[in-house]
Amino acid sequence: MTDYTWSSSSSNSWNTAGNWTPSGIPGLNDKAIFNSTSTVNCSMDVPGGTHEVGEVDIQSGYTGEVSQSFTVKIQDSGSGNGKLSIAAGSWSTSSVLHAKDIDVKTGGTLNLNGTVNAYIKSNFTVSGTVNSHNSTLQLGTASVGSTTAANFNDTLGDGTWNISGTTVNHYAGGGGNTLLNSATFGTNTATWNMTLGTNDLRTHIFSTGSSLHYLNMIASGSSTGGITLSERQQEFDMLKIGDGLT
């Protein structure tokens, strides 16, 4: 796998080989790195409308924005691990984003702009900020690039979620317990659909966060383990527990 570091002095083009060190364009078997080498904004101006890259690592020291207006697949089918890591600056999409894992660290921001779809196969960790307005976020896919629902690993975090008008489809059959224990939510309505698998158990969900009046929580599935929303369940704008769940 080749590591390509963003080193542009002024151009915003991802698709220009000279904007990277070494010279080239990160692809399926490569890792794209953003750090203090260049803080110029980067636009994924990809011919053909779809681009695959093995990993993207936005490190501390990068203060710019990486934006995509075409479909991007951060793939684990090549030499990369399929992970988008955002420790600083921001990643913004107005198109379709696929990834195996996304890690929004403290200081990093993920922007889902408009009616876009983001599909995450395995893990979504948020200690930074997620801004999503009128988007759909699917947690759990059969493979990177697929839209078929599959069990999700539930590595969610307690950052800031501004997800107005957003629908989160969370296929939680992969097992796990505490998630979103102290996340902070924005003040506009979003819907969180959680589908549980057999013998799955969820505990302390949304237990100490804020502004849950604006979050619709809908749980369904075949779990015999049950779901616990801790002391905050009375604060949801809407809370619906499907037949067979407790």
Side-chain angles (χ1 to χ4, degrees), residues 84-98:
L84 168 60
S85 178
I86 310 169
S90 63
W91 177 286
S92 300
T93 177
S94 57
S95 186
V96 179
L97 173 63
H98 295 268

Side-chain angles (χ1 to χ4, degrees), residues 31-43:
K31 181 177 182 179
I33 298 171
F34 295 85
N35 54 30
S36 59
T37 300
S38 170
T39 59
V40 172
N41 293 341
C42 176
S43 174

Side-chain angles (χ1 to χ4, degrees), residues 103-186:
D103 186 2
V104 186
K105 300 178 184 294
T106 302
T109 300
L110 174 65
N111 297 311
L112 306 177
N113 298 320
T115 55
V116 304
N117 293 319
Y119 301 93
I120 305 173
K121 177 184 174 184
S122 297
N123 296 293
F124 191 24
T125 306
V126 179
S127 54
T129 300
V130 175
N131 297 313
S132 176
H133 306 292
N134 303 315
S135 301
T136 298
L137 177 61
Q138 181 168 316
L139 306 180
T141 63
S143 61
V144 177
S146 170
T147 60
T148 301
N151 290 345
F152 189 69
N153 288 347
D154 297 333
T155 311
L156 298 178
D158 293 332
T160 299
W161 299 68
N162 298 310
I163 54 173
S164 62
T166 292
T167 298
V168 180
N169 295 317
H170 180 184
Y171 297 91
N177 285 296
T178 303
L179 58 147
L180 296 167
N181 186 51
S182 58
T184 299
F185 283 80

